[in-house]
Amino acid sequence: MTDWRAFSVDISDHVAEVTLLGPAKGNAMGRDFWRELPEVFAGLNADDSVRAVVLAGSGKHFSFGLDLAEMGSEFAPLLADRALAGPRSRFHTLIESMQASVTAVAESRVPVVAAIQGWCIGGGVDLIAAADIRYASADAQFSVREAKVGIVADIGSLQRLPAIIGEGNLRELAYTGKDIDAQRALRIGLVNDVLDDAEAALAAARATAAEIAANPPRVVEGVKNVLDHPRRGPVADGLRYVAAWNSAFLPSHDLTEGITAVFEKRPPVYKGE
């Protein structure tokens, strides 16, 4: 395909393996990630030899989520006092482009099997929610953490997770921003199985992808298409709504406080302003 900065892509025996490479610590999602992800999946969709995809993270962690250090500059014009239509409109476009990046995974022509190890936070959960099947290592931890930094999650977790873990579990995670371990993730259905370590989780993902790839490819694509069909409309509508909501209401002193507290490594103090 091509050389990527945020990913490696290897194709063998009808299975594509897409691995997050960072380059930020913990495979945090910066500009390269958001730009390259839809291009990677467009290339895989165009390759008829690909019948399944394994999605994995390199190193000790799947992903720390949004790279605030790199992407924080995108928030700056919006956080200025009295941000007007121009900055809000540009931020709305940014949200839509980031949503489209993860939607490219959800709309993959072939099933996507994720292998998760270590931390999977924020945008990392958005990403695995777009996969079809998820395996975790025993040390995996998950967090829909956006609320803790003053953000309404807007890249797909709130739209895709209800069908995966149910409304009650999602509301608990999204309202609190709490961390959960792999066993809790298994109990609520966020992951299909928990394996001993990262290598075992990746091996399980590869084995399932190989099983999928051994079946008639058009039939598998048909099954995925039929299963996805009832959810496409509600998910798309929910993404449009949250993009508009955040463009209107995200600018706040609490958001500034949340981001500042992350960099200063201290608890935030929110005032509802």
Side-chain angles (χ1 to χ4, degrees), residues 130-227:
D132 296 88
I133 299 166
R134 291 156 291 276
Y135 295 107
S137 62
D139 72 340
Q141 297 188 76
F142 305 83
S143 181
V144 183
R145 193 173 289 183
E146 286 85 348
K148 284 188 174 293
V149 291
I151 299 172
V152 176
D154 57 10
I155 309 299
S157 289
L158 302 187
Q159 291 72 36
R160 295 188 175 99
L161 285 181
I164 299 170
I165 66 174
E167 285 278 351
N169 288 314
L170 174 57
R171 288 173 185 268
E172 178 186 353
L173 299 185
Y175 293 157
T176 65
K178 65 168 53 176
D179 307 332
I180 62 169
D181 63 16
Q183 289 300 324
R184 174 75 193 279
L186 178 63
R187 289 197 299 273
I188 66 176
L190 180 57
V191 298
N192 293 63
D193 201 359
V194 175
L195 291 305
D196 289 342
D197 52 33
E199 291 76 12
L202 182 56
R206 288 169 172 166
T208 296
E211 284 190 79
I212 293 169
N215 285 332
R218 301 307 175 207
V219 171
V220 173
E221 290 175 28
V223 172
K224 177 174 169 59
N225 197 290
V226 170
L227 288 172

